[in-house]
Amino acid sequence: MKELEAYRIGLIGNGSWATAIAKILSKNLSNIRWWVKDDFVKGHLIRSKHNPTYLTDVEFNPDQFIISTDINEVVFESDIIFLVVPSIYVEKCLERLNVPLKDKILVSSIKGIVPNHYLAVNEFLHQKHQVPTENMGVISGPCHAEEVALERLSYLTVAHQDPKMAEMIANCLRCDFIQAKITDDVIGTEYGAILKNIYAIAAGIAHGVGYGDNFQAVLMSNAIREMERLLYTIDWRDRDINDSAYLGDLLVTGYSFFSRNRMFGNMIGKGYTVKSAILEMNMVAEGYYATRGVYEMKDKFEVKCPIISAVYKILYQGKNPKKVMDKLTKKLD
């Protein structure tokens, strides 16, 4: 396998998490191809050395980046591509491609379901863009973009079926404030990141309707067991659900005030409609879009998932959050 310096690295996305990934990559790499959505963002990064919208305090050295609004240029010129756009924009973002993805190493740090297809991102890339499974990896937490911006010690999990490639990707990310471990559990890591966002919405709803820390602890305890049942059904393997990629990511997303999914749930619990909560937030709550796809999946596999069912009823059936959460309390232990 080639050394890290021999790979051309690309980054697609310019939201908060993409900006955090750019900051991390810049600690190890001197030549990063970065696709951003428009000339305004590109110009601001070049002239002012900041993302104008997200993590605006993070300063970049423009000499380390080749910033482009042409996704074909970035894909063509890259060997390893970090894909970091919200799941709701993945299809639209990639539909502009006339350069094939199948020969690239794609590393998804997207924690959601592709709408209309109800597929995890790697499944979407495999089915719609013919990317071989051996060319796909995943980055998961527990990690918030805001703490990366502050250079607080954070942990990432890199999943790839080839341990050597996983280590190569992890070496792109390791720095004085980032530790990265590797795993070959690509499916579990990706779906664990999707599921924890739904549970974070549940935690936010519970807080919004008035439940306290005692109930939150019970909710998270039940959530990790519910996650384990679903992951076991989706992709059976001997995984430790207490690992940081599963339990750790669930806890930080369920409890942290940086969590956009918890924030979204809290707004719903306080009486916001789904539409008004989405409009007020400046960031995408991936768990909202994931809830529908996962709800249909759990029915398909006949898995008992009372927390996901409760969130679905509130978000998609318009049920009263307080009444649904009150009923949920009787199903937890």
Side-chain angles (χ1 to χ4, degrees):
M1 181 172 289
K2 296 185 291 187
E3 295 298 321
L4 177 59
E5 294 77 12
Y7 286 95
R8 300 171 300 170
I9 306 299
L11 170 63
I12 295 176
N14 60 254
S16 58
W17 187 226
T19 305
I21 294 290
K23 176 185 173 79
I24 296 168
L25 292 174
S26 70
K27 294 294 181 178
N28 296 313
L29 303 165
S30 58
N31 193 5
I32 305 157
R33 293 152 180 83
W34 188 0
W35 175 85
V36 298
K37 66 178 182 178
D38 56 42
D39 288 324
F40 171 70
V41 176
K42 175 182 176 179
H44 205 90
L45 282 165
I46 293 172
R47 291 190 303 272
S48 303
K49 304 179 182 180
H50 298 274
N51 185 323
T53 309
Y54 301 99
L55 304 188
T56 54
D57 291 335
V58 175
E59 184 171 329
F60 293 99
N61 176 2
D63 293 338
Q64 287 183 268
F65 296 89
I66 302 171
I67 302 172
S68 175
T69 58
D70 183 349
I71 193 170
N72 285 289
E73 177 185 343
V74 171
V75 170
F76 182 77
E77 295 290 342
S78 302
D79 302 309
I80 299 176
I81 300 168
F82 290 83
L83 188 59
V84 199
V85 295
S87 60
I88 60 170
Y89 302 131
V90 168
E91 183 173 23
K92 184 176 180 180
C93 177
L94 297 183
E95 71 183 9
R96 310 172 191 177
L97 276 176
N98 52 43
V99 175
L101 285 172
K102 60 184 180 180
D103 297 325
K104 310 294 181 178
I105 301 298
L106 291 175
V107 185
S108 170
S109 193
I110 302 170
K111 302 164 184 178
I113 297 287
V114 180
N116 302 320
H117 299 276
Y118 303 117
L119 298 170
V121 172
N122 276 358
E123 293 170 331
F124 175 80
L125 293 172
H126 180 63
Q127 292 186 24
K128 304 300 179 181
H129 291 272
Q130 294 75 53
V131 180
T133 55
E134 61 268 23
N135 284 6
M136 296 188 293
V138 172
I139 301 173
S140 184
C143 191
H144 280 308
E146 292 80 1
E147 293 204 351
V148 170
L150 296 169
E151 298 194 3
R152 291 178 178 171
L153 180 62
S154 301
Y155 292 74
L156 294 173
T157 300
V158 175
H160 195 282
Q161 67 181 44
D162 181 351
K164 291 182 179 179
M165 180 53 69
E167 191 66 24
M168 184 74 69
I169 296 165
N171 284 336
C172 291
L173 303 167
R174 292 184 177 118
C175 61
D176 54 348
F177 58 90
I178 295 291
Q179 294 192 26
K181 63 173 289 185
I182 67 170
T183 178
D184 63 353
D185 184 14
V186 179
I187 296 175
T189 301
E190 182 170 32
Y191 268 99
I194 292 168
L195 294 170
K196 56 92 179 180
N197 284 334
I198 304 174
Y199 299 130
I201 291 176
I205 294 172
H207 183 268
V209 300
Y211 286 97
D213 292 344
N214 294 339
F215 176 71
Q216 294 282 7
V218 173
L219 182 65
M220 291 295 100
S221 174
N222 279 264
I224 194 62
R225 283 176 274 157
E226 187 171 301
M227 179 189 291
E228 185 174 32
R229 290 195 298 272
L230 259 171
L231 293 182
Y232 184 90
T233 305
I234 294 167
D235 179 45
W236 180 90
R237 66 160 57 211
D238 185 19
R239 62 174 61 86
D240 186 351
I241 201 67
N242 295 314
D243 278 354
S244 295
Y246 314 109
L247 179 58
D249 210 3
L250 170 67
L251 292 177
V252 74
T253 310
Y255 284 120
S256 175
F257 290 106
F258 285 133
S259 169
R260 65 193 71 177
N261 289 282
R262 187 184 191 278
M263 182 192 306
F264 175 77
N266 187 52
M267 294 168 73
I268 298 298
K270 288 184 179 298
Y272 282 73
T273 64
V274 168
K275 184 177 180 179
S276 61
I278 291 173
L279 288 173
E280 185 158 321
M281 291 180 67
N282 188 37
M283 298 177 288
V284 175
E286 295 276 23
Y288 167 68
Y289 302 96
T291 298
R292 184 173 179 179
V294 173
Y295 181 81
E296 294 185 0
M297 179 190 304
K298 70 95 185 170
D299 278 354
K300 174 184 175 182
F301 290 119
E302 299 182 349
V303 184
K304 182 182 178 183
C305 299
I307 302 173
I308 289 173
S309 296
V311 174
Y312 179 83
K313 288 174 184 176
I314 294 167
L315 298 184
Y316 286 91
Q317 296 181 345
K319 302 294 185 182
N320 181 280
K322 183 67 167 63
K323 290 181 179 179
V324 173
M325 295 307 290
D326 287 347
K327 289 182 180 178
L328 177 63
T329 63
K330 308 299 191 298
K331 300 177 182 178
L332 305 182
D333 54 41

